[in-house]
Amino acid sequence: MIDELKTLLVDTENRIATITVNRPDKLNALKNNVLDDFRDVFRSIQDDEDVGGVVITGAGHKAFVAGADIGELNHLKQKSGERASQKGQSVFSWIESTGKPVIAAVEGYALGGGCELAMACHLRVASVTAKFGFPELRLGLIPGYGGTQRLARLVGKGRALEMILDGSPIDAGKALEFGLVNRVVKEGQAVAASREWMSKILTNGPIAMDKAIQAVHAAYPNRAQGFQEEARLFGLLCGTEEFKEGTDAFLQKRKPQFQNK
Ligand code: COA
């Protein structure tokens, strides 16, 4: 396993690698270097015979991941915004296409990029404290790390638009009803329950698991166009006053004042 990670903790036990996003003071918000670390760690896990499956979680009790880092987003312009979206998409697609099962263990907030990360995992276990949501529109943005595509596929178009347009987070019970999570467990139990579930999953044939993941993903061909469009629109928004106002307002801890078109 690689040992130069700045933002992730990795602990491997019983063939299960538990990856913890480790920025609890910023609710584990995804800075660019967190994405780099994810890419490196998944590259290494892919070839690591000691790892059969992966559990992803966030440090602290308050959040899984509260989204992309808004301080970093604030500086994006149209081109750099489109590239940032493409990078998030590509790292999360890398996670999704790993031939080993990946479970998101969610306690607390999984917002924006955090919910997108959870959706890139193959399975999701939430504790009763979990809150899933897409607050991007309040920032003058849209989900840009594959979220518009994966959410619609997981919960259906109507519920996806409900979550994105309304922006209010949903609790674990509603996420279960929506099909956004697979299991809900007691507070503080998401990681333990995910590891336990993974131990059972890992009794299956590893080659067959890899092929099962590939085959299920093959049910959704022609994904490139949707991802491309998401990145283009994300970039376009990064060039607007609305985005500047939305992200400035968050950083200045005030409500955004959006102008009518
Ligand atoms: N990017 C950067 N910093 C973030 C962040 C994000 N997405 N989410 C939280 N933080 C930081 C806060 O700025 C704060 O930092 P500070 O202590 O230096 O001021 C710290 O994490 C704690 O967050 P805070 O807002 O004080 O906690 P809270 O309990 O009052 O609210 C949330 C929790 C999740 C409701 C709130 O942090 C929030 O709305 N975060 C942004 C969510 C979002 O829009 N995500 C989508 C991004 S694309």
Side-chain angles (χ1 to χ4, degrees), residues 31-254:
K31 279 185 99 159
N32 202 28
N33 60 353
V34 184
L35 295 178
D36 291 334
D37 281 352
F38 264 117
R39 173 168 284 157
D40 289 349
V41 96
F42 270 88
R43 269 198 186 124
S44 126
I45 278 172
Q46 188 66 51
D47 302 324
D48 189 339
E49 288 181 1
D50 294 334
V51 175
V54 181
V55 171
I56 298 180
T57 194
H61 302 296
K62 215 170 155 186
F64 172 71
V65 167
D69 188 284
I70 299 168
E72 274 190 358
L73 290 181
N74 183 254
H75 300 291
L76 295 174
K77 304 277 183 264
Q78 181 164 356
K79 276 280 161 233
S80 53
E82 187 169 339
R83 280 197 303 272
S85 168
Q86 286 163 342
K87 177 170 177 179
Q89 289 177 349
S90 116
V91 172
F92 286 5
S93 290
W94 191 287
I95 293 174
E96 186 178 47
S97 57
T98 302
K100 302 179 183 185
V102 184
I103 303 180
V106 180
E107 302 272 351
Y109 293 111
L111 301 179
C115 197
E116 292 178 292
L117 172 62
M119 290 192 300
C121 299
H122 304 125
L123 300 166
R124 284 150 292 284
V125 173
S127 94
V128 288
T129 65
K131 295 217 179 304
F132 296 87
F134 291 89
E136 281 90 343
L137 269 64
R138 199 179 165 78
L139 301 168
L141 260 187
I142 58 170
Y145 292 175
T148 60
Q149 308 301 296
R150 288 196 180 93
L151 184 64
R153 284 202 302 269
L154 259 181
V155 306
K157 181 174 151 188
R159 286 168 164 174
L161 280 169
E162 175 184 335
M163 287 187 75
I164 294 172
L165 291 177
D166 181 288
S168 311
I170 60 171
D171 65 17
K174 194 154 184 187
L176 188 64
E177 182 194 319
F178 274 18
L180 184 54
V181 300
N182 301 90
R183 292 183 177 185
V184 177
V185 297
K186 286 187 189 149
E187 178 172 0
Q189 292 302 305
V191 171
S194 300
R195 285 198 187 124
E196 196 181 327
W197 195 11
M198 185 65 82
S199 298
K200 176 173 180 289
I201 291 171
L202 293 186
T203 59
N204 291 317
I207 302 173
M209 278 194 290
D210 177 8
K211 302 307 170 218
I213 292 167
Q214 267 184 45
V216 171
H217 286 149
Y220 305 94
N222 309 322
R223 304 186 331 154
Q225 199 183 342
F227 279 94
Q228 222 174 347
E229 186 62 355
E230 180 188 84
R232 186 184 73 80
L233 296 170
F234 186 92
L236 191 142
L237 287 166
C238 290
T240 62
E241 278 305 313
E242 193 168 298
F243 160 76
K244 194 76 185 101
E245 167 59 14
T247 50
D248 279 349
F250 177 81
L251 297 172
Q252 294 161 13
K253 300 188 187 287
R254 62 172 174 81

